[in-house]
Amino acid sequence: MKKLILTTAALALVAGAATAADVVRMGTEGAYPPWNLIDDNGEVGGFERELGDELCKRAELTCEWVTNDWDSIIPNLLSGNYDTIIAGMSVTDEREEVIDFTDPYTPPDPSIYVALEDDVDLTGGVIAAQTGTIQAAYVAESGAELVEFPVPEDTVAAVRNGEADAVLADDSFLQDAVKANPELKVVGDPVAIGGGVALGLRESDSELKEKFNTAIQSMKDDGTLNELIKKWEVSSLW
Amino acid sequence: MAWFSCYLTSGKHMLFYQSFVTVLMLLAITAPVSLAFGFGGAVASRSHFLPLAWFGKLYTSIVRGVPDIVFFLFFVIALDQGIEWMRHQALCPDWSEPIRQGNDFLVCPQAKAPLSTSPQWVHEVYNFSLAVFTFAIVFGAFAANVLYGAMNAVPKAQLETAHAYGMSNRQTFWRILVPQMWVYALPGLGNLWMILIKATPLLFLLGVRDIVYWAKELGGTKSDVYAYPHGDWRIYYFLFLLVFYLAFTRVSEIVIERMTRKLSHGQATAGGEAMRREA
């Protein structure tokens, strides 16, 4: 078996050297429905899958989907394991320092709090958020005690088992969670953070960025982007 | 009932079942490779040629000292970039742009390992091979220490007798030392095997989707956008994994126990002596 694997690996290295067409590897998390998810066939699905496939068609690129942990999604982009991040990532100044973003494909949307009871203390209590998100940064500044989790699902679970008083995340994700867990409810006022969701790219990939920008603009112009957003209920319309 | 039989045979569950094979394959390949690394390290540490002995000791002490998770994150990225750098030097001598641009690591497209054009399974095999290699280095260092101790535990009188019979150093090593050291090495190697079984979830750090990843993914709350919506079922999936790991380690224990009995037979150890009295 080992021999087989080594041989195939060696073959792949040799055979690969001959061709180098334009394949764009799309990196996503696959754990953030309805934005991106692993469907029942084990394939990447969700809003961003449909959006990404359409963008690639319009930009005449061959695209391949890969999943990566949210924690290391930026380092793996930089070291070239894939070429784009399409994972519900909001544009922020901190991220702009490390990677480049295309034009946003969804408008900036408020985040919401979800809790078990109405009277939770949102500025002094314990609030759950996913590590490395704009919501985590916001909670840390708000004075509440922040508990971070590596995957979105865990943040909701923390509220349900009482580890956290409330969870702060994107409206669309939490609306889905509330639907699945009727004991949860939306509390407090929505908070406006983040600057829209866009594809993340390496700073040196400006050509690819232009291609995607053109494709995103064309989808905005003919209304197909709004249709997709409406279908998956991920954000407000353009 | 029908719902469950459909649910448990969905494409995603098939990938879950396949990941068990991945984990077993990783163990089956990593264990002998680490043992080989360990044997090499132990022999190097015992060498009378000083630089080789230093190399052996440096390998065991550095790798044993660095936390696994750091090793798995740092070493794999460094190894991957090292491979790409070497391919870059060989395949694109005319490339003028720098490889490091700010935060980006950029080699020419032909030097990517594996190529971004290759199908997904090639990427998976590549990641898997990196995983095997990394596991082998880490566990090889521990095995080297165990084997080094085991070699020293073989009674000196045995080796001296071999020399007195006129055996060369090489003959003494292969005919007297190696066959006798296993009984001393087995408890330590058995421990390592158990730890290796439990360390397999580190695979996910290396981009290989293992059983823990799939259990988490499948058990997570599924809203209406999925074909089989359900609540948070992770506890059941993890319970299943618990049973799997416990059963697996129990079987390993039994096998190791049998091997110890077999190896103790006729040895000048407490275990061997006990067996002689019984007989």
Side-chain angles (χ1 to χ4, degrees):
Chain A
M1 202 64 221
K2 183 184 158 226
K3 209 167 176 186
L4 187 75
I5 284 176
L6 283 180
T7 331
T8 44
L11 264 180
L13 291 178
V14 176
T19 53
D22 253 4
V23 172
V24 177
R25 289 167 58 80
M26 312 281 272
T28 191
E29 187 192 10
Y32 202 55
W35 291 83
N36 53 73
L37 50 96
I38 308 286
D39 70 15
D40 294 285
N41 294 317
E43 304 242 332
V44 176
F47 165 70
E48 281 166 329
R49 173 68 198 254
E50 281 191 23
L51 171 74
D53 283 347
E54 181 63 27
L55 289 177
C56 289
K57 207 168 89 193
R58 292 186 186 215
E60 291 172 356
L61 302 164
T62 322
C63 290
E64 182 126 24
W65 288 85
V66 284
T67 51
N68 197 89
D69 233 9
W70 176 259
D71 266 355
S72 57
I73 206 163
I74 290 181
N76 274 313
L77 172 76
L78 295 178
S79 71
N81 289 348
Y82 36 82
D83 306 303
T84 66
I85 295 175
I86 172 161
M89 189 179 268
S90 303
V91 181
T92 65
D93 292 341
E94 286 89 357
R95 290 177 184 149
E96 286 266 32
E97 281 171 20
V98 193
I99 58 174
D100 247 7
F101 284 103
T102 61
D103 298 333
Y105 49 76
T106 65
D109 251 1
S111 301
I112 56 168
Y113 288 100
V114 159
L116 289 170
E117 280 137 39
D118 285 318
D119 57 341
V120 290
D121 183 3
L122 296 176
T123 50
V126 181
I127 311 290
Q130 190 185 5
T131 314
T133 56
I134 48 174
Q135 287 87 8
Y138 177 85
V139 174
E141 302 233 316
S142 73
E145 194 181 326
L146 170 69
V147 277
E148 292 179 297
F149 294 92
V151 285
E153 169 94 40
D154 289 347
T155 59
V156 178
V159 174
R160 293 179 58 216
N161 65 27
E163 195 180 343
D165 297 330
V167 46
L168 179 64
D170 283 335
D171 183 82
S172 53
F173 170 73
L174 283 183
Q175 295 293 0
D176 261 22
V178 170
K179 250 184 259 167
N181 305 292
E183 73 272 26
L184 293 172
K185 54 183 118 180
V186 180
V187 295
D189 295 322
V191 284
I193 39 179
V197 173
L199 275 107
L201 300 147
R202 282 184 294 272
E203 282 177 341
S204 45
D205 260 348
S206 38
E207 200 183 316
L208 190 62
K209 182 174 153 182
E210 283 317 308
K211 282 185 187 166
F212 275 119
N213 277 344
T214 319
I216 291 171
Q217 194 53 50
S218 85
M219 284 187 73
K220 277 182 193 167
D221 291 343
D222 65 10
T224 41
L225 185 53
N226 271 342
E227 274 169 37
L228 266 188
I229 293 176
K230 217 186 287 177
K231 176 182 168 195
W232 289 95
E233 299 175 350
V234 287
S235 73
S236 49
L237 302 178
W238 284 101
Chain B
M1 207 55 219
W3 189 87
F4 262 104
S5 61
C6 285
Y7 174 70
L8 291 175
T9 50
S10 69
K12 209 171 175 178
H13 274 87
M14 289 304 163
L15 290 172
F16 176 50
Y17 307 139
Q18 270 171 34
S19 64
F20 280 91
V21 180
T22 309
V23 167
L24 293 179
M25 206 159 80
L26 177 95
L27 288 170
I29 299 173
T30 310
V33 177
S34 327
L35 199 58
F37 273 48
F39 195 78
V43 172
S45 301
R46 278 172 61 88
S47 167
H48 293 297
F49 180 56
L50 269 183
L52 195 60
W54 286 334
F55 170 77
K57 294 207 166 112
L58 203 70
Y59 164 57
T60 47
S61 44
I62 287 186
V63 177
R64 287 191 328 136
V66 175
D68 280 4
I69 195 158
V70 173
F71 201 83
F72 275 91
L73 282 176
F74 168 77
F75 180 76
V76 176
I77 289 184
L79 183 68
D80 182 40
Q81 293 194 345
I83 292 174
E84 291 190 347
W85 186 83
M86 281 191 292
R87 280 168 57 82
H88 180 84
Q89 300 296 330
L91 295 172
C92 322
D94 307 327
W95 193 261
S96 57
E97 287 172 48
I99 292 184
R100 287 220 167 269
Q101 295 181 21
N103 292 308
D104 303 1
F105 182 85
L106 293 168
V107 291
C108 62
Q110 296 86 358
K112 281 232 150 284
L115 293 169
S116 50
T117 48
S118 19
Q120 186 57 23
W121 69 265
V122 176
H123 286 267
E124 273 161 24
V125 169
Y126 178 77
N127 284 343
F128 184 82
S129 316
L130 283 187
V132 167
F133 188 64
T134 318
F135 268 105
I137 286 191
V138 172
F139 283 86
F142 287 96
N145 209 44
V146 170
L147 292 178
Y148 180 74
M151 286 176 184
N152 286 343
V154 174
K156 282 278 172 304
Q158 295 275 343
L159 308 182
E160 281 161 8
T161 312
H163 280 279
Y165 270 94
M167 286 192 187
S168 66
N169 278 336
R170 181 177 292 259
Q171 283 172 327
T172 314
F173 179 76
W174 285 111
R175 296 186 189 177
I176 308 297
L177 183 68
V178 172
Q180 290 194 67
M181 73 169 186
W182 294 113
V183 68
Y184 301 104
L186 206 57
L189 292 180
N191 272 345
L192 277 183
W193 168 253
M194 298 290 193
I195 296 171
L196 180 63
I197 293 175
K198 295 187 297 173
T200 48
L202 284 173
L203 274 177
F204 186 61
L205 286 180
L206 307 177
V208 180
R209 299 199 243 170
D210 78 311
I211 50 181
V212 177
Y213 166 80
W214 281 116
K216 211 156 60 178
E217 171 59 38
L218 286 162
T221 308
K222 298 285 173 285
S223 58
D224 296 336
V225 298
Y226 294 90
Y228 304 98
H230 61 73
D232 190 347
W233 284 1
R234 283 179 299 179
I235 181 108
Y236 307 113
Y237 281 92
F238 282 123
L239 277 176
F240 177 64
L241 287 194
L242 179 82
V243 172
F244 169 73
Y245 276 118
L246 279 180
F248 196 19
T249 43
R250 182 72 200 121
V251 169
S252 304
E253 264 179 2
I254 294 170
V255 171
I256 290 168
E257 216 166 283
R258 288 216 179 135
M259 276 165 80
T260 314
R261 273 188 73 78
K262 204 168 161 95
L263 285 172
S264 298
H265 195 81
Q267 292 279 358
T269 58
E273 183 61 20
M275 286 170 78
R276 191 183 64 82
R277 293 233 174 106
E278 260 172 47

